[in-house]
Amino acid sequence: MSRKSSDHDYNLRNMSNAIGDRWRKVNDGGERSLIKAPSNASLSSQGAVPAAAPAASTGDLERAARKQFQQDVTPAFVYVLAVFSALGGFLFGYDTGVVSGAMLLIKREMNLSFLWQEVLVSSAIAAAALSALAGGFLNGVFGRRVCILLASFIFSIGGIVMSAAPNKETLLVGRLIVGLGLGIASMTVPVYIAESSPPHLRGQLVTVNTLFITAGQLVASLVGGAFSYLRHSGWRYMLGLSMVPAVLQFLGFLFLPESPRWLVAKGLTQRARRVLSQIRGSQNIDEEYDSIKSSIEEEEKDSGGEGTVIWRMLSYPPTRRALIVGCGLQMFQQLAGINIVMYYSGTILQMSGVRDDRLAIWLLTVTAFTNFLFTLLGVWLVERVGRRRLTLGSIVGTGVSLCLLATGFLLAAQHSPAVTLHPTDPTTHNSTCNTHLSCEPCMLDPGCGFCYRDNGSAVFSSSCEPVNGASTDRAAWGRCSNVTLMTDHTYWAYNFCPTSYSWLVLLGLVFYLAFFAPGMGSMPWTVNSEIYPLWARSTGNACSAGVNWTFNVLVSLTFLHMAQYLTYYGAFFLYASLALLGFLFIYGCLPETKGRRLEEVESLFENQLCSCGASDSDEGRQVEYIRVKGSNYHLSDNDASDVE
C-alpha cells in the first residue's frame, strides 16, 4: 500500500474515531451532544436509567463551569472597546434628543414654518441614510476602525457649524454634515462590537450601543433644560456640546484595534491573531481563529465571488432572507413612530396642552430617563429572554401605548374649548381663523392661534386669531398681539389647546418608551450585527441602516402635516396599526440567534423565509458542527438518528 493510501486510511480512521467519541458522549450524557441531551425515556430504553441523572448532572456542571470560566477571563479591554465604540450611539442619541428641545427655541427665534421645522429635523436623517449606504463600501475597503474615526471627525465639524449658524440655511448645512457622520457610525459601531465580542457577551455588548443612544437622549434633555433659561441662543450651546463626545471617541479610537474578522478577510492573519489575543485575554484563540478563517473560505466559495456584494447577497438565498429580515426590522422600528416621539416629544407635549416651553423641555427628561432605564433592562434581558421573545413583547406593548397616546389626543379633541368671541380686523383679508368654532380646528390651522383667558378651572373669552408673521409666540393683532399687555390670565396658544388631558399624553409617552426601549429600540441593531456572513456583513448592515434612516426621513418629514390632516389622534392610531403589521412580520420571520457563533447564524436562514421564525423550539438545542475541508457540516435530526 502506498504512503498516500496509508495516510488516507489513517485520516478516515481518525475521523471515524472522533465521530464515535462524540456519539459516545451523547449516549453517556456527557459534555456536549449532537442535537440535544438524551431524554430519560431514551436512556431507560437502553437500560441506563440509574446512571442517567449523575451523568446529566456532571454534564450540566461541566457546561456551567466552562461558561463561568469564559466569563471570568473576559478581559476588561473588551468593555473599554465597547464603551468607546458606543460613543457613536451616544452621538446619535444626543442629536435625536437635543433637536427636540432646541427646535422649540429655534422655531421662535428664527420664526420657522412647519416645513422648515420638518426640513431641519429630517435633513440630518436624509444625509445619514445616504452615508449609511456608502458606509458599507467604506467598511469593506478601509475597515471598521477607520470608518468610526471618520464618523466622529465629521460629527465634530457639524457641531461647530450648527453652534455658529447665523441663519436657518447655515443651520441646515450643519445638520447635513452631522447626518453624514451619524449614518456611518450607525452601521459601523454594531458590526465592530459584534465582531470583537465573545459569543456569550455579544448580545449584551451590542445592546450597550443602544443604551448609549438613550443615555445621549437623557443627557440632551438635561442640557436642553439647563440652556432653555437663556433668552437668546440657548440652542447654540445645546447643539455645539455634541462635539465633546465626538472628540473623545476620535481620540479613543486612535489607540483601539481593527476588527479581527475584517483583518482575516483582508489576509492580515498575524495582526488578526494579535488582536484576538488582546481581546480574548488568556483564552485559547486557535479554535476561534480557525473558525473565522474557514468560514471566510467557505463563504467565498458559496457566494461565487462574482458581481457586486449586494448582487451576490440577493442571488444567494440565505443572505437574501437575512437581508429581508434585517431591513424589515429596521423599517418597522421607524414605522412604530419612535423618532416621532423623540424628535417631536417637546412639540407633542405642547400639543397636549403644556403651555410653557421650559416645562415642556424639562418634561422631556422624564421620557428620556424612561427610555434609558428600560434600555438598561433590555441589556439585562437580551441574553436571558432571547432576541425574538424580547422583540415580540416589545412591539405588542408599543402598539398598545400608541393607542393610549391617540386616546389622550382624542379626549382632548372631544373636550376642546369652544370659540366664544369672533373679533375681526379690516386689515386681515381672507383669514380662515374666524370660521373655526373650537380650539381643535383652530390649532390644526397653521395660520391661526387660540387666544383665551383661564381662571384656573375653566377657559373663557376665547377667540381664534391670525398668527403674527414675524413670530408665532403672539397674534397678528388684538389682545394677544403684545406679550407684555397679556394680563388678567390671558394666554396665547399656538399649535396646542388648553386641556386637562395632558397627563394622559405624558403617560402614553412614558409607557411607549418603557415597552419600545428594551426590544424594538435595540434588537434591530443587535440582530443585524449577527445575521450576515462576514463577506456580506458590511453591506447588509449598510442596507439595513439605510432603510432605517430612509423610513426615519419619511416618518419625521410627514408627521406635522399628517397630524394637520389626520388630526393628532388619527396619526397615532395609524402608527399603532403599523406596529401590528410589524408584530406579524417579526412573529413569522425572526429566528432566535442567542448563544450562537456568528459563523453559525447563517444556517438559520437556510429554510423558507416565513419558517425561520419558528425556531423558538430550537433555542435549547445544541448543534455539533464538524469542519471538513473548510466547510461546515452539521447533522440534522434525521442524520443523528442514523449514527451508530
Side-chain angles (χ1 to χ4, degrees), residues 94-371:
Y94 185 87
D95 181 77
T96 304
V98 81
V99 76
S100 178
M103 196 55 62
L104 295 177
L105 306 179
I106 296 171
K107 72 181 181 183
R108 294 189 185 278
E109 187 170 322
M110 295 187 177
N111 191 27
L112 299 179
S113 63
F114 274 0
L115 179 60
W116 262 101
Q117 290 180 57
E118 290 173 331
V119 167
L120 285 176
V121 169
S122 57
S123 57
I125 310 168
L130 295 176
S131 63
L133 293 173
F137 170 77
L138 295 175
N139 267 260
V141 175
F142 300 108
R144 287 47 162 150
R145 175 176 173 271
V146 172
C147 285
I148 293 176
L149 284 168
L150 178 64
S152 55
F153 177 77
I154 292 175
F155 198 98
S156 301
I157 299 299
I160 295 173
V161 174
M162 288 192 301
S163 62
N167 50 48
K168 58 189 178 184
E169 290 79 13
T170 308
L171 183 59
L172 176 60
V173 173
R175 296 288 296 157
L176 289 170
I177 295 173
V178 163
L180 294 175
L182 287 177
I184 296 173
S186 67
M187 63 80 45
T188 307
V189 168
V191 174
Y192 181 79
I193 297 176
E195 291 184 346
S196 304
S197 303
H200 68 283
L201 288 176
R202 188 178 66 243
Q204 286 184 331
L205 292 181
V206 174
T207 308
V208 163
N209 181 55
T210 309
L211 180 66
F212 270 56
I213 293 176
T214 59
Q217 291 165 345
L218 176 60
V219 171
S221 65
L222 294 173
V223 169
F227 285 106
S228 66
Y229 292 94
L230 292 180
R231 190 168 183 83
H232 297 290
S233 301
W235 58 269
R236 297 185 185 276
Y237 297 99
M238 298 183 194
L239 299 177
L241 283 174
S242 61
M243 294 182 294
V244 175
V247 171
L248 185 62
Q249 184 184 47
F250 183 87
L251 294 176
F253 259 84
L254 292 176
F255 304 98
L256 290 177
E258 181 55 82
S259 160
R261 285 171 169 81
W262 184 86
L263 291 173
V264 173
K266 294 299 179 181
L268 304 173
T269 56
Q270 292 304 315
R271 283 183 59 190
R273 291 186 69 92
R274 285 198 299 270
V275 172
L276 274 176
S277 299
Q278 189 177 10
I279 62 180
R280 295 294 182 261
S282 58
Q283 297 179 35
N284 191 328
I285 64 168
D286 291 337
E287 182 180 356
E288 182 175 4
Y289 174 80
D290 291 339
S291 176
I292 294 171
K293 190 171 183 180
S294 299
S295 178
I296 292 172
E297 293 171 355
E298 180 188 354
E299 288 161 1
E300 288 175 349
K301 287 193 302 181
D302 290 341
S303 62
E306 297 179 359
T308 61
V309 176
I310 186 63
W311 173 252
R312 288 154 57 193
M313 290 182 70
L314 294 174
S315 59
Y316 182 48
T319 53
R320 182 174 65 244
R321 296 176 189 126
L323 186 64
I324 292 172
V325 171
C327 291
L329 280 174
Q330 297 285 26
M331 178 183 72
F332 282 111
Q333 184 195 63
Q334 293 303 318
L335 291 180
I338 178 56
N339 281 313
I340 293 303
V341 171
M342 298 316 301
Y343 289 132
Y344 293 108
S345 51
T347 304
I348 291 170
L349 288 171
Q350 279 196 332
M351 290 171 181
S352 69
V354 177
R355 286 195 294 255
D356 185 58
D357 282 352
R358 294 192 189 101
L359 178 59
I361 291 175
W362 279 115
L363 284 175
L364 297 181
T365 306
V366 177
T367 59
F369 180 72
T370 302
N371 199 16

Side-chain angles (χ1 to χ4, degrees), residues 7 19 53 294:
D7 290 342
I19 295 176
S294 299

Side-chain angles (χ1 to χ4, degrees), residues 412-422 432-445 448-451 462-465 496-498:
Q414 290 177 341
H415 297 84
S416 179
V419 173
T420 58
L421 302 176
H422 296 274
T432 59
C433 300
N434 282 328
T435 64
H436 301 310
L437 301 178
S438 68
C439 181
E440 178 73 8
C442 179
M443 173 187 66
L444 293 174
D445 189 333
C448 303
F450 191 66
C451 185
S462 56
S463 59
C464 185
E465 301 176 6
F496 72 92
C497 285

Side-chain angles (χ1 to χ4, degrees), residues 514-633:
F515 281 108
F516 187 93
M520 285 301 294
S522 54
M523 289 306 102
W525 301 103
T526 301
V527 170
N528 269 282
S529 70
E530 299 174 325
I531 59 177
Y532 306 109
L534 181 59
W535 62 269
R537 193 166 296 149
S538 295
T539 303
N541 275 273
C543 290
S544 62
V547 167
N548 183 290
W549 289 108
T550 300
F551 278 89
N552 194 334
V553 172
L554 177 66
V555 172
S556 60
L557 190 59
T558 58
F559 171 65
L560 293 178
H561 283 90
M562 185 183 296
Q564 182 180 348
Y565 293 109
L566 295 181
T567 71
Y568 296 119
Y569 58 85
F572 282 108
F573 276 130
L574 175 62
Y575 295 135
S577 64
L578 293 173
L580 174 61
L581 291 178
F583 170 81
L584 297 176
F585 173 81
I586 293 167
Y587 184 81
C589 299
L590 178 63
E592 182 57 73
T593 60
K594 183 183 77 171
R596 297 179 184 265
R597 281 186 185 174
L598 291 177
E599 288 72 34
E600 298 171 358
V601 173
E602 184 182 354
S603 64
L604 298 174
F605 296 93
E606 290 176 351
N607 299 321
Q608 293 182 356
L609 180 62
C610 291
S611 64
C612 66
S615 60
D616 273 347
S617 59
D618 296 344
E619 185 177 330
R621 187 176 80 165
Q622 296 191 18
V623 180
E624 179 70 34
Y625 284 81
I626 303 172
R627 180 73 61 182
V628 180
K629 292 185 179 180
S631 298
N632 269 337
Y633 291 93

Side-chain angles (χ1 to χ4, degrees), residues 57-71:
S57 300
T58 302
D60 291 340
L61 289 173
E62 288 175 353
R63 282 192 295 271
R66 183 176 57 188
K67 183 177 180 181
Q68 184 62 44
F69 173 75
Q70 289 176 335
Q71 293 172 343

